[in-house]
Amino acid sequence: MIRLTDISKRFGNYQALKGIDLDIPSGELVALLGPSGSGKTSLLRIIAGLEGADEGSIRFDADEGNELEKNVGFVFQHYALFKHMTVFENVAYGLKVKKRKDRLPKKVIREKVLELLKLVRLEGFADRYPSQLSGGQRQRVALARTLAVEPKILLLDEPFGALDAKVRKELRRWLRRLHDEVAVTTIFVTHDQEEALDVADRIVILNDGKIIQEGSPDEVYHHPNSPFVYNFLGDVNLFKGRLEKGKLHQGVCEWEINGDIVSQSETAVGFVRPHDISISRDHALKDSVPAWITYIQAFGKSVRIELKRQDSEEYLEAELSREQFTELRLQIKELVFVKPNQLHVFTPDDYVI
Ligand SMILES: Nc1ncnc2c1ncn2[C@@H]1O[C@H](COP(=O)(O)OP(=O)(O)O)[C@@H](O)[C@H]1O
Ligand SMILES: [Mg+2]
């Protein structure tokens, strides 16, 4: 386990990390997720020992050891391979530069490198040069090179950030399998919530140098602790209203609330994901609001519909399955009736976090 206690870091007058407490159990794949500038890279560099913290401490378990440089592998977004070396030589590099007494025999190094290339699905590419590879392949070579020295902890700073969406998706699935096969502790920095939700065992959400929430993908997605997390993890519609008898009231509508309200506040905002908005043609539908359909995006698995409320002129976004959409035969400019199925309520108190 890696235990971070009350880590703070300043750059000049700027406080980049503000009292980070975090435990990372051995063998987990943890994503550090947050917007640009939230402190992810700073935290990762401190864990790697590349940067010192101003305050706080880091403890590694005995099995992860104290010889940090030997046990930590670091892969950056733009990882420079040695251009004049083949893929094989790049991956073998860390093994060849070891001191003579620690160095493996040539034949063993060769076997190991070929095995690693197989692991990153690049068997047959050993003799190529980096310039003869795609971006995704280069990043896999970088990972193989890092794994060659058998780190106990793998630190990845937006390793797929420079690649296009389709390759990124493939690589993150592949990273998940790799992590399970080689049994390392992996800390993965990303600003892409889908990427984090897709691969991580646990997600640590950072904003402004602080941990806002941590938990499994399911926990943070379905039980966000703050408006920030709700917003950051997906698209959202807002329904402002009054709290009364455990429901959110707006005009004549009263909507059920998901979860408990502890706040004494009378006003609140209901947060609703696009797939939790229902659309109907029935003007008598209880607790619904009238809205015009302003846009339909009908490609892909689901259909996204933009609506403008007739009463407040606020925009809403709904997501329907293709079947629902086909059944309803919705048309642009049509007046329909919408209602939130699931309301996650935050009160002004929740905005202070
Ligand atoms: N070496 C540095 N000198 C000055 N400011 C820095 C330095 N490194 C990071 N910062 C600042 O600290 C904040 C957090 O940066 P960083 O950890 O890189 O965030 P992230 O990786 O989440 O985008 C940013 O505002 C950044 O400008
Ligand atoms: Mg960064």
Side-chain angles (χ1 to χ4, degrees), residues 11-12 14 16-17 34-43 51 157-158 189:
F11 294 107
Y14 187 77
L17 294 172
S36 175
S38 55
K40 306 179 297 294
T41 296
S42 303
L43 188 58
E51 192 97 59
D157 193 356
E158 313 227 11
V189 162

Side-chain angles (χ1 to χ4, degrees), residues 5-20 42-43 46 51-58:
T5 311
D6 204 19
I7 298 281
S8 292
K9 178 73 184 174
R10 269 180 306 276
F11 294 107
N13 288 330
Y14 187 77
Q15 182 91 30
L17 294 172
K18 304 172 181 170
I20 301 284
S42 303
L43 188 58
I46 287 172
E51 192 97 59
D54 297 325
E55 284 160 50
S57 67
I58 309 185

Side-chain angles (χ1 to χ4, degrees), residues 129-189:
Y129 285 88
S131 62
Q132 298 168 310
L133 300 177
S134 70
Q137 289 169 336
R138 270 182 233 162
Q139 215 43 351
R140 269 142 62 198
V141 175
L143 271 161
R145 180 162 102 173
T146 305
L147 290 170
V149 291
E150 298 182 10
K152 298 255 171 45
I153 302 165
L154 189 57
L155 304 178
L156 308 169
D157 193 356
E158 313 227 11
F160 311 138
L163 306 171
D164 68 57
K166 189 165 175 291
V167 178
R168 254 187 14 222
K169 212 166 194 161
E170 273 172 33
L171 279 185
R172 71 186 189 224
R173 294 280 159 77
W174 167 85
L175 173 73
R176 178 71 235 189
R177 287 196 301 273
L178 182 85
H179 165 91
D180 295 336
E181 273 172 47
V182 298
V184 284
T185 305
T186 304
I187 308 177
F188 178 86
V189 162

